[in-house]
Amino acid sequence: MEYGRFDDEAKEYVITTPRTPAKWINYVGTLDFGGFVDSTGGGTLCKGDPSLNRIVKYIAQTPAGDFKGQTLYARFRPIAESGAPDRREAWRVFSPFYVPTLDQWESWECRVGLGYTRFVTRFYGLDFDIRIFVPRGESREIRDIRARNSTGRKLELDLVPVVEYTHFDALKQLTNADWVPQTMQSRALGDERGRIVLAQCAYMKRGTSENFLASSAPASSFETDRKRFLGANEYGTWSRPQSLDAEELGSHEACRGDNIGALMHRMGVLEAGASVRLVTQLGQARTTEDALADIERWRDFGQVDGAFADLARFWDEYLSVMRVETPIPSFDSMVNVHNPRQCFVTKNWSRYLSLYQLGLGADRGIGFRDSSQDAMGVVAHMGSEARELLEKLLSVQRRDGSAMHQFNPVTMVATEGDSAEYPDRPHYYSDDHLWIALAVCAYVRETGDAAFLSKKIPYYEKDAKGKPRESAAVLEHMARAVSFTRGDVGQHGLPRLGFADWNDTVNLRSGAESVFTACLYGAALLELAALAEATGDPKAASRWRAWHAEMKARVNDCAWDGEWWIRYFDADGTPIGSRSAERARVWINSQTWSVISGFAEGARARKCMDSVYRYLNTERGLKLFWPCYDGYDPAKGGVTTYPPGAKENGGIFLHANPWAIVAECLIGNSDRAWRYYQQINPAARNDSLDSFEVEPYVYPQNVLGDEHPQFGLGRNSWLSGTASWAYQAATQRILGVRADYAGLVVDPRVPGAWKGFTVVRRFRGATYRVRVLDPRGAGKGVAKASIDGRALEIEDGSATVPVMPAGTAHEVEIELQ
Ligand code: GLC
């Protein structure tokens, strides 16, 4: 069944029923101030940190129809013969979002836009058009509400925006039901025009701030105490708050308890066909008094319209870096709009706040491995923001070259992740630090900013005064990363696993080795060698190539199993991922990454990728391994806590899929690369979402595998490394347009049936319109290339378009063989 459609013109996905099979969301603002809005108007917000500065209480685990943090109530009643409001008539109370009143809608659309969500709905003949967004750079969420009386009769209309606050400490809110309510207080500030600002505060150890709810219109009453709002000692419900039956709210200033903000706006008598507009703002300031002048500014509709236009401009600019036109609409929707948008979101939020990553614990935050990869997804679109993120990551790298697993973006305190809970296992992750080398090189290839390599950045270790003990150039950080791995090998000479590698859940006893980490190390060395060559350091290049050759030989000596590569050796030297085992015989990551790292060549490369296809492919994507584990095994760790087919236990963990696309492109297998792309493309699944359940406009992290009874069910949408890698695979490998030190490489691997495609790409300030013609349907192998009519050299079937002056525009013509 369909639950909506892509509107590429408006760059929106239009959800056409509130009853989606799972809650679907959209992001507004950024981690500086923002959060998500769900498909029925609920949502949460935070400023800087979802765990320690959360504003709205949103309990994701309650049923979909329950109130979730924010809503708007509307109520109306007919006008009596005399023309005066008919006080004998009861109010008809409903929410134009559907939740939490669950009234039958006449029409309903939730338009998931870029940085905003727009609801266009009709209930009881009343039309609503509501836009929710965070103006760029602002600490406030705007809800711009328009209501129109389409009933054909005069009526009286009231609007009541409501928010439920959480304690700033989002986890405390759920674990301490005495201290928290004792500390929460609200007060109301009125002005001479009858407008009210509700201020909500709790003292934070890190300095107090206040949340405020205000609107553009006068409010005749308000409520800040949930118990009074719902009524009947809280036996009133969110679907039918008793206080909304009375003419006015109780106007209580809560001095403890569950704090809410509710403003009563009597919009007055609405003639048939007449409209009203109300703008609410929910924000945070040091004190609400400080914020009053700003609040006043945002009551102005012109200000709000200007901010909305500014948001659209930001996104036009962001997306204009790469525009594609191919024969496949579901590919174009993803590559032109939704995939780069998801890359923006993952870069911003890492794995910090979603419906699945609840962002509660103060020990969570930005993941080293995740953010390194996320940065790769946005380098072309926002190079300087990517660099800032890379600098933060480098500053939590240790002096020995390994990295802390995650950090809190506000305090910059880093932690070791889940490994700290297992005292008997190593505490570092063997792959984390290696990703940064890939990310830094991607940044320099894209921007040409080689000066960044000599920028000094501190390592994580601090002295007693909190001063970093040592700083080094970015290049040295990367050198230490690979040196750490080179010096940390086990009995086969392969990198030791640490607590885990990319797969967080395979936690083997100390002394185990990881073939994947060996390959990632190899890939990092290839990157460093290419970088050294491009920056004129042949000595370094040959060192990195020698290290690469050394590990390549070891992997080829000990990890080839006949048809595929082994994935791990445990502490006893027993292989995991071998035909000799009963379970977990074939794993995807050691196949894909042995190709990406150049360790697998020729027949082995083809054979291992054929094994991926034979043993791991399903019509819903590639599984992590096969066959699944069946029951808890402390020797394997977390992976065995999942039932067969779920998540890391042989599920379709989407993040690993684009790596197979990259690997197939590298060995020239365009058709299989395309098949792998399209079978996980959520936009291509829009007409059959009943089993998939999650948003068709973003990649989820996991889909249940075919050993699970609910094969095909997606979960953990939005915050997944799939976004970055699907985007890289689609643009750099399938379309084959990628940044390199010397220019823009064009080297497609597309289905022959396409017969061509067009890419408009901005690269280092110049714009290139690349037209690829493929009259014979070869799908790959550049035969002819020119820029502005001048022929370009072809090397190994690919062309490199030279870097042209910033601000200029160029026509690039490519013909495949
Ligand atoms: C989660 C983690 C990521 C890890 C993956 C596989 O997505 O955020 O870091 O690589 O799981 O275990």
Side-chain angles (χ1 to χ4, degrees):
M1 185 181 152
E2 284 185 21
Y3 295 88
R5 62 177 189 276
F6 286 86
D7 180 348
D8 283 357
E9 193 71 26
K11 304 194 190 79
E12 293 173 337
Y13 182 85
V14 189
I15 309 173
T16 47
T17 165
R19 292 198 193 145
T20 48
K23 208 57 122 178
W24 293 358
I25 65 166
N26 188 18
Y27 283 79
V28 292
T30 63
L31 181 54
D32 290 337
F33 184 95
F36 62 76
V37 175
D38 73 24
S39 45
T40 49
T44 189
L45 291 170
C46 70
K47 185 168 160 64
D49 182 357
S51 61
L52 293 177
N53 192 0
R54 185 80 68 110
I55 298 167
V56 181
K57 185 198 283 180
Y58 188 104
I59 312 223
Q61 296 97 330
T62 60
D66 285 5
F67 174 76
K68 296 261 162 65
Q70 296 193 70
T71 195
L72 173 71
Y73 292 95
R75 62 179 196 178
F76 69 94
R77 62 187 170 193
I79 299 295
E81 292 288 294
S82 65
D86 189 345
R87 301 216 154 181
R88 286 161 316 180
E89 289 276 349
W91 290 104
R92 162 74 72 175
V93 178
F94 68 96
S95 171
F97 294 126
Y98 181 61
V99 169
T101 58
L102 311 183
D103 291 60
Q104 182 56 50
W105 64 94
E106 283 160 42
S107 68
W108 192 97
E109 267 185 10
C110 168
R111 296 183 153 259
V112 177
L114 298 168
Y116 67 91
T117 293
R118 179 175 170 203
F119 290 86
V120 183
T121 67
R122 175 191 276 218
F123 289 79
Y124 305 110
L126 283 162
D127 285 313
F128 282 83
D129 188 337
I130 305 171
R131 281 181 188 159
I132 304 175
F133 70 106
V134 173
R136 291 196 350 104
E138 283 291 321
S139 290
R140 73 195 71 232
E141 182 207 68
I142 297 288
R143 294 192 166 208
D144 183 358
I145 303 156
R146 291 161 214 249
R148 181 175 190 277
N149 175 6
S150 304
T151 60
R153 292 176 292 124
K154 251 193 206 181
L155 51 77
E156 188 186 1
L157 177 74
D158 294 345
L159 297 177
V160 188
V162 178
V163 49
E164 184 177 17
Y165 295 105
T166 169
H167 192 275
F168 297 109
D169 183 332
L171 185 60
K172 270 276 164 51
Q173 172 69 53
L174 305 178
T175 58
N176 190 324
D178 183 26
W179 181 76
V180 164
Q182 300 292 11
T183 59
M184 308 268 289
Q185 301 195 324
S186 288
R187 62 187 201 287
L189 286 73
D191 70 9
E192 66 293 343
R193 292 162 72 180
R195 294 173 312 189
I196 292 175
V197 179
L198 296 178
Q200 192 278 324
C201 106
Y203 306 116
M204 284 198 289
K205 288 187 192 125
R206 291 188 291 117
T208 303
S209 2
E210 291 187 341
N211 303 319
F212 59 80
L213 175 70
S215 65
S216 55
S220 51
S221 56
F222 64 88
E223 189 52 83
T224 60
D225 184 336
R226 188 180 76 187
K227 190 167 170 181
R228 310 241 192 197
F229 182 72
L230 297 178
N233 284 337
E234 280 207 331
Y235 289 90
T237 62
W238 286 111
S239 64
R240 191 63 213 232
Q242 296 203 349
S243 63
L244 292 181
D245 292 336
E247 285 301 297
E248 290 294 344
L249 298 173
S251 298
H252 299 99
E253 296 187 312
C255 33
R256 65 172 303 287
D258 293 299
N259 284 206
I260 64 162
L263 291 168
M264 170 62 75
H265 295 291
R266 321 273 330 232
M267 306 308 289
V269 172
L270 233 62
E271 299 289 337
S275 304
V276 286
R277 183 173 179 189
L278 175 76
V279 172
T280 65
Q281 36 179 316
L282 171 61
Q284 190 180 85
R286 208 181 55 79
T287 75
T288 305
E289 281 78 2
D290 285 350
L292 287 176
D294 261 352
I295 290 175
E296 183 60 34
R297 214 153 49 85
W298 287 96
R299 283 174 165 142
D300 178 55
F301 295 154
Q303 173 79 16
V304 172
D305 294 341
F308 192 73
D310 174 54
L311 188 64
R313 270 195 302 277
F314 167 81
W315 280 104
D316 280 348
E317 172 73 17
Y318 180 91
L319 295 178
S320 67
V321 168
M322 172 113 192
R323 301 281 306 163
V324 312
E325 227 174 279
T326 77
I328 312 294
S330 62
F331 180 83
D332 292 3
S333 289
M334 288 311 282
V335 174
N336 285 331
V337 183
H338 300 281
N339 194 174
R341 196 282 158 98
Q342 188 180 359
C343 290
F344 175 90
V345 169
T346 54
K347 183 260 171 196
N348 240 282
W349 295 93
S350 187
R351 306 297 171 269
Y352 215 174
L353 182 69
S354 75
L355 277 185
Y356 310 89
Q357 316 275 340
L358 301 180
L360 296 173
D363 60 338
R364 291 270 151 196
I366 304 287
F368 195 95
R369 166 202 303 140
D370 295 334
S371 287
S372 300
Q373 295 171 75
D374 295 344
M376 297 170 80
V378 299
V379 277
H381 299 267
M382 41 193 333
S384 55
E385 283 87 343
R387 190 193 59 230
E388 273 168 37
L389 178 59
L390 297 179
E391 287 182 19
K392 282 190 180 163
L393 292 166
L394 289 161
S395 74
V396 299
Q397 189 183 0
R398 296 173 174 113
R399 285 192 291 175
D400 67 6
S402 69
M404 299 294 284
H405 193 59
Q406 58 201 13
F407 66 89
N408 179 299
V410 176
T411 59
M412 285 310 287
V413 172
T415 54
E416 293 188 305
D418 292 337
S419 65
E421 290 168 25
Y422 297 84
D424 61 324
R425 307 266 159 111
H427 280 198
Y428 65 98
Y429 291 67
S430 59
D431 65 317
D432 278 348
H433 53 282
L434 295 168
W435 292 105
I436 198 75
L438 270 58
V440 168
C441 292
Y443 166 77
V444 180
R445 278 181 204 274
E446 179 66 41
T447 60
D449 176 15
F452 180 56
L453 300 167
S454 39
K455 174 152 190 181
K456 285 226 155 141
I457 298 201
Y459 290 101
Y460 186 63
E461 289 89 344
K462 316 268 187 310
D463 65 17
K465 292 199 192 105
K467 282 237 170 63
R469 288 188 184 277
E470 193 189 346
S471 295
V474 170
L475 194 60
E476 170 66 15
H477 276 259
M478 295 196 288
R480 284 201 201 171
V482 286
S483 297
F484 175 86
T485 299
R486 185 163 188 257
D488 185 44
V489 294
Q491 50 183 303
H492 295 89
L494 303 181
R496 295 198 301 158
L497 174 64
F499 178 68
D501 59 24
W502 173 89
N503 188 327
D504 281 324
T505 65
V506 175
N507 315 123
L508 307 174
R509 275 190 300 122
S510 259
E513 296 165 283
S514 163
V515 175
F516 167 78
T517 302
C519 296
L520 183 63
Y521 165 76
L525 288 168
L526 286 185
E527 284 292 345
L528 290 182
L531 177 71
E533 273 148 17
T535 52
D537 188 351
K539 235 172 94 199
S542 56
R543 181 173 62 247
W544 304 137
R545 291 210 188 275
W547 289 17
H548 182 270
E550 168 191 69
M551 188 58 75
K552 179 177 179 177
R554 290 182 200 161
V555 168
N556 275 276
D557 280 352
C558 70
W560 182 248
D561 196 59
E563 269 184 89
W564 58 77
W565 302 90
I566 287 160
R567 176 69 170 85
Y568 304 91
F569 290 98
D570 75 10
D572 305 329
T574 310
I576 295 177
S578 155
R579 70 199 137 150
S580 59
E582 199 193 319
R583 302 204 165 268
R585 294 154 65 107
V586 193
W587 294 63
I588 191 169
N589 285 358
S590 44
Q591 320 316 320
T592 53
W593 279 91
S594 63
V595 173
I596 295 170
S597 63
F599 288 174
E601 280 180 325
R604 286 189 175 184
R606 281 193 303 277
K607 208 169 205 167
C608 75
M609 291 310 295
D610 284 346
S611 296
V612 166
Y613 182 66
R614 182 165 322 127
Y615 298 107
L616 303 178
N617 194 40
T618 78
E619 82 248 25
R620 295 300 174 100
L622 292 156
K623 304 183 278 189
L624 273 193
F625 63 82
W626 168 88
C628 303
Y629 290 114
D630 191 10
Y632 183 62
D633 175 359
K636 303 285 182 326
V639 62
T640 57
T641 60
Y642 292 112
K647 297 243 322 174
E648 278 100 334
N649 188 9
I652 301 164
F653 208 98
L654 279 198
H655 187 162
N657 278 244
W659 294 334
I661 300 172
V662 173
E664 291 290 5
C665 287
L666 284 170
I667 61 173
N669 212 340
S670 318
D671 289 332
R672 209 185 263 165
W674 175 249
R675 179 185 189 139
Y676 287 164
Y677 181 87
Q678 206 55 359
Q679 73 190 7
I680 63 161
N681 179 357
R685 172 130 309 138
N686 193 43
D687 55 356
S688 55
L689 291 170
D690 288 308
S691 56
F692 186 61
E693 291 199 354
V694 285
E695 295 94 326
Y697 43 89
V698 290
Y699 291 97
Q701 180 213 59
N702 64 82
V703 177
L704 290 170
D706 56 4
E707 289 188 55
H708 192 285
Q710 279 177 280
F711 171 50
L713 180 89
R715 275 298 180 270
N716 204 345
S717 49
W718 281 97
L719 302 186
S720 165
T722 317
S724 168
W725 281 101
Y727 191 57
Q728 293 181 64
T731 56
Q732 300 175 16
R733 298 295 163 180
I734 294 178
L735 300 178
V737 177
R738 57 180 177 268
D740 207 346
Y741 299 108
L744 197 60
V745 171
V746 186
D747 181 18
R749 297 279 187 279
V750 293
W754 283 16
K755 298 281 161 61
F757 63 92
T758 305
V759 170
V760 179
R761 175 73 152 84
R762 207 162 62 238
F763 174 61
R764 301 198 202 163
T767 303
Y768 304 85
R769 189 162 171 279
V770 182
R771 246 173 35 134
V772 177
L773 299 174
D774 186 15
R776 287 165 290 280
K780 63 179 178 203
V782 174
K784 275 195 217 153
S786 67
I787 178 162
D788 303 328
R790 275 177 295 115
L792 290 171
E793 240 176 78
I794 318 271
E795 220 187 310
D796 290 339
S798 84
T800 301
V801 181
V803 180
M804 302 303 270
T808 57
H810 305 276
E811 297 289 325
V812 176
E813 300 275 335
I814 302 283
E815 202 174 307
L816 304 184
Q817 38 196 266

